[in-house]
Structure formats: structure tokens, C-alpha cells
Amino acid sequence: MESNRTIWAEVDEQGRLVMPAEVASRYGLTPGARMRIEETGNNMRLHRASTHLAKIYIEPTNRCNITCRTCMRNIWDEKLGKMSEETFARILDGLQGISPKPLVFFGGLGEPLFHPKTVEMVERVKALGAPVELITNGILLNAERSRRLIDAGLDTLSVSLDGAKPESYEDVRLGAEMPRVIENIETFRSLRRHTFRPMPEIGINFVAMKRNVADLPDVLALARRLGARRFMVSNVLPYDAEMQKETLYTKSLIDIAYMPSQWLPRLNMPKMDIDDRTRDAFIGALRSGWNVTFAGNNLGGANDVCTFIESGSTTVGWDGSVCPCIPLMHTHTTFLRQRKRLVRRHVIGNLAERGLIDLWNDPGYVAYRERVQSFAFAPCSFCGGCDMVDSNEEDCLGNVFPACGGCLWAQALIQCP
């Protein structure tokens, strides 16, 4: 993840904003591109052009070598399989015609390294000049695979660690052994070339719930010891009643402090020491019914924002199906508050029938991305008071499938790398 940096632009004699070519290319700002601009106080937020493909999630397989309490596979009834050579070749064909090359992320609803050719896939994508990241549970990350991934030029390896101790980790990731995973990460780290900033970077992902959230500080310390440069925390998305009891965001769904900023009066908070003296007052201010800006960052600014659309992403399932995001790759049930909710998958098309760029530029898909970018959906996550929230078929504002108002990714509660 790149840190913030200052970029200078200028205005020409015709009043047009001129940006460095590198920046314009990175955000898809080509002649004729449409983009959305938001004014936020003294700032202006320029969204990525909706036609710019910047990231591709590839799901090599939806199979896995372990069973996790948090996994969607516990409740679904979908066909299991792995990506064929023909489907992957079509992805490569699509990548050939994109410049600059998008980030390719190997991950989905299965364990990427459970596919026998995933390391080879990484090698072939890197040979085209695309940046590549991969997420794994770490069990199959043996020394041979580690060497090949490093030699291929993998940019980031993320490993899921949902506990700091074997008993808490293995309580979530059934069938996994934490000492083996830690040993594999340490081996991977030791095999990297010894430079000031060794590559690939190591990332750690943590799914927070009631049963393991107390481990978070120790997992952070463990990640530092393992040389991790990135750490991502997500809430658990409950697919069954047992996981519904584990969620940590019941109040956040309805707390007025997190509602969209335009509805509320504004409160600006500075940085301060958060200790026994200030903790209760600080939390009370956050939940005071004001729209809170903390140290210049608006805490309500993450509401109604689709990170997949904002990052210029698309997904390719193991069977070649192209979908807008990971949540819409597979039909599944989940819970929004106490209501069971059916989320039906949304397939734009299949690579067996149409090319990747052809599907990306499909007029219906472009219009959908623009609609999600403006996020004019009903506030189902905050409201949740009618039967329409029980599926993503439609909402009370007249939006039809897929209606995204109940998506917890768009409320910054669930996160994907």
C-alpha cells in the first residue's frame, strides 16, 4: 500500500487542469473519460474514471484445504472446481491489451495455493509486467513454493492469522496448525533477498470477532516479528446464526456518528492521548450525534463507498465468470442485524464467450459502476426495517438487482485486500 504523496498539477490558459502523465495514466484519465468530482469543504475529491480497469481479482479455485468457522462454504450449495488452462489463457489475452497493467490479485473464496498451477499463474502474469499479490492461509506455503513466488517477482504475500495463540487460531481455522503456518512465513521471509526493503512484502490479515478480538494486539506484535509491512483487520461477515453472535458492529450499523456526513452537524476533533483520563470522553464525542472529523479525516467519509468500484476492480471466478466484486461472486446467505439476507451473485459474462476487455467495457457494466460510484441506493444498512433488505433484488428507492444498499463492504465494516 503506497503512502500519501504530494503531486503538483497546473491550470492552463483554457482553465483545464493538467496533471503529470504518469498520474493521469494511473487513474484512467484519458481523453473522453468520465469521472465524478466531489467537493468536501476545502478539498475536491476526484474519483477514478469508471472505465479504468486497475485491479483484477482471480479466483484459482473455490476449494480449500481447511475448514474455517468464518467461511461462506459452510452454508452454500455451489459447484466446486478449479480454473482451467483455457480460462487462465483468456485472462492473459485480456492483460496483453491493457496499459498500464492492472494489479492482479490471486484470491477469492478458496485457497489459491490449493490449485496446482497457481505459482505458475503468478509467474506468467509477472512476465507480462503486471504487479501481483496473493493471499493464503499459509499451510501450503512450503519452501519450494516460496522460492518460486519470490523468483517470479511476487509483490505482496498476505497470510490470514486470526489468533495469536494456537488455541485461539485453531478455534477459528479448523484443521490448521498455527506453528506450521508461522514456520512457513518465517521460511518465506528468510528466502527473500536481503535488501533495505525485501520483496515480496508480507501482509497479515485478521478477521475480528468476539471470540478472538482480544488477541489483536498480540497478533500485531507477531506480525511485526514476522516482518509484515501491511496489516488489515476486517469484521466477520456472518453466514450463519453462530457467526451472527460473534459480530462486533451491532451498534455501528445504527450509530448516528457513522451516518453520511450531509445529514449531521459537524464536529472537528484533534489528536490526543487516548488513556484512562480521555478514553470515555473521546468515545462519547464520537457517539454524540455529530458528524466527526478526527485529525482532518472524516469518520463518516467511508460510508456508501464501494472500495471495489473506487479501486477500478473486477473479479474472475474459477469458472471464468466475471463479476463486479468478491461479495457478488457467489450466491450466499448472510445476516444484516437479525434478518437473514440472500445475496444473489451477479455475473457480467463469461470469458468463454467474451473477452475480458469487452466485458469490462460492456455498456451495462459501465452504467452499473457509475451507479455504484454515486451510491444512490436505499440506506438498508442503517434502516433494515422492511422485507426488501432480505435480498439484493431491489430496494425502496426503485433500484433493481443488484441493489447494494445492504452491502457491509460499502460501510467499511467488511474489508478485502
Side-chain angles (χ1 to χ4, degrees):
M1 183 179 299
E2 293 186 6
S3 59
N4 295 335
R5 59 185 180 126
T6 299
I7 298 170
W8 288 95
E10 62 182 30
V11 178
D12 67 13
E13 294 180 355
Q14 287 74 43
R16 295 172 298 191
L17 185 65
V18 181
M19 293 187 177
E22 172 200 353
V23 177
S25 176
R26 189 162 64 247
Y27 290 95
L29 306 181
T30 55
R34 279 168 48 87
M35 63 213 69
R36 182 165 162 256
I37 299 174
E38 283 183 279
E39 289 185 301
T40 56
N42 296 324
N43 301 307
M44 180 178 67
R45 182 182 180 190
L46 182 65
H47 292 253
R48 184 186 302 276
S50 59
T51 50
H52 182 222
L53 178 55
K55 185 174 184 178
I56 302 173
Y57 288 88
I58 297 178
E59 179 184 67
T61 179
N62 63 351
R63 293 191 174 109
C64 193
N65 55 324
I66 59 173
T67 301
C68 297
R69 293 185 186 275
T70 56
C71 188
M72 185 188 294
R73 281 186 303 277
N74 295 331
I75 53 90
W76 74 6
D77 183 23
E78 289 208 4
K79 181 180 179 182
L80 299 178
K82 63 182 181 180
M83 184 171 286
S84 67
E85 169 60 31
E86 293 75 19
T87 296
F88 183 67
R90 293 187 182 101
I91 295 174
L92 293 179
D93 288 343
L95 285 171
Q96 294 271 12
I98 306 174
S99 181
K101 294 289 184 283
L103 168 65
V104 176
F105 187 96
F106 286 90
L109 271 298
E111 165 54 44
L113 295 181
F114 204 47
H115 191 300
K117 296 266 183 92
T118 295
V119 177
E120 179 183 323
M121 292 178 183
V122 171
E123 292 169 339
R124 293 169 70 183
V125 171
K126 282 298 299 185
L128 294 179
V132 180
E133 299 182 1
L134 181 146
I135 189 169
T136 176
N137 57 36
I139 297 170
L140 301 176
L141 188 69
N142 58 27
E144 179 186 356
R145 288 191 181 93
S146 293
R147 287 192 187 93
R148 288 185 61 191
L149 288 170
I150 293 168
D151 290 343
L154 179 71
D155 294 276
T156 302
L157 176 86
S158 294
V159 183
S160 299
L161 284 179
D162 297 326
K165 303 178 290 292
E167 54 269 26
S168 55
Y169 169 87
E170 293 164 19
D171 178 55
V172 177
R173 297 193 167 262
L174 310 179
E177 298 175 355
M178 185 175 179
R180 178 179 175 186
V181 173
I182 299 302
E183 180 182 353
N184 287 346
I185 299 173
E186 289 173 337
T187 298
F188 181 88
R189 182 189 185 191
S190 69
L191 290 172
R192 298 181 304 173
R193 295 175 182 86
H194 297 289
T195 62
F196 175 73
R197 189 164 183 173
M199 297 293 286
E201 287 190 343
I202 296 172
I204 299 296
N205 287 26
F206 180 86
V207 178
M209 52 194 125
K210 290 178 181 176
R211 72 197 310 136
N212 73 345
V213 70
D215 273 19
L216 180 55
D218 290 336
V219 179
L220 282 164
L222 175 61
R224 185 181 293 274
R225 181 171 67 80
L226 292 170
R229 300 278 301 180
R230 308 184 185 192
F231 197 106
M232 173 173 280
V233 181
S234 176
N235 280 296
V236 67
L237 184 68
Y239 299 115
D240 57 31
E242 179 187 358
M243 284 296 101
Q244 169 71 2
K245 299 174 185 176
E246 292 283 347
T247 59
L248 297 167
Y249 49 87
T250 302
K251 292 181 180 178
S252 295
L253 283 171
I254 58 175
D255 197 322
I256 197 169
Y258 299 101
M259 286 187 178
S261 58
Q262 65 269 24
W263 297 359
L264 304 170
R266 291 177 293 179
L267 166 64
N268 288 302
M269 292 286 293
K271 293 180 181 179
M272 64 176 64
D273 294 339
I274 307 301
D275 53 28
D276 291 343
R277 182 185 298 275
T278 63
R279 182 184 57 228
D280 291 345
F282 184 77
I283 293 174
L286 295 183
R287 303 189 62 195
S288 61
W290 293 68
N291 174 45
V292 180
T293 294
F294 172 63
N297 297 295
N298 182 254
L299 300 188
N303 291 331
D304 295 346
V305 176
C306 175
T307 55
F308 295 99
I309 299 298
E310 291 293 323
S311 62
S313 298
T314 195
T315 68
V316 182
W318 68 269
D319 60 353
S321 295
V322 174
C323 304
C325 60
I326 288 178
L328 292 177
M329 287 181 74
H330 301 280
T331 297
H332 61 278
T333 56
T334 183
F335 286 81
L336 185 55
R337 302 202 192 126
Q338 300 302 317
R339 301 187 74 111
K340 193 172 184 179
R341 174 175 167 84
L342 174 66
V343 178
R344 183 161 63 87
R345 75 189 299 222
H346 179 39
V347 177
I348 306 300
N350 195 287
L351 293 180
E353 301 164 356
R354 298 172 65 184
L356 179 64
I357 302 305
D358 184 34
L359 287 168
W360 175 255
N361 291 325
D362 180 272
Y365 189 13
V366 174
Y368 169 75
R369 296 197 299 269
E370 292 181 350
R371 181 160 58 104
V372 174
Q373 204 173 57
S374 61
F375 216 84
F377 298 102
C380 301
S381 298
F382 301 111
C383 175
C386 72
D387 292 345
M388 285 186 172
V389 80
D390 294 343
S391 74
N392 64 337
E393 295 292 339
E394 59 179 332
D395 66 27
C396 61
L397 297 184
N399 292 294
V400 295
F401 174 83
C404 299
C407 177
L408 299 186
W409 278 263
Q411 308 309 327
L413 294 168
I414 311 296
Q415 300 192 98
C416 286

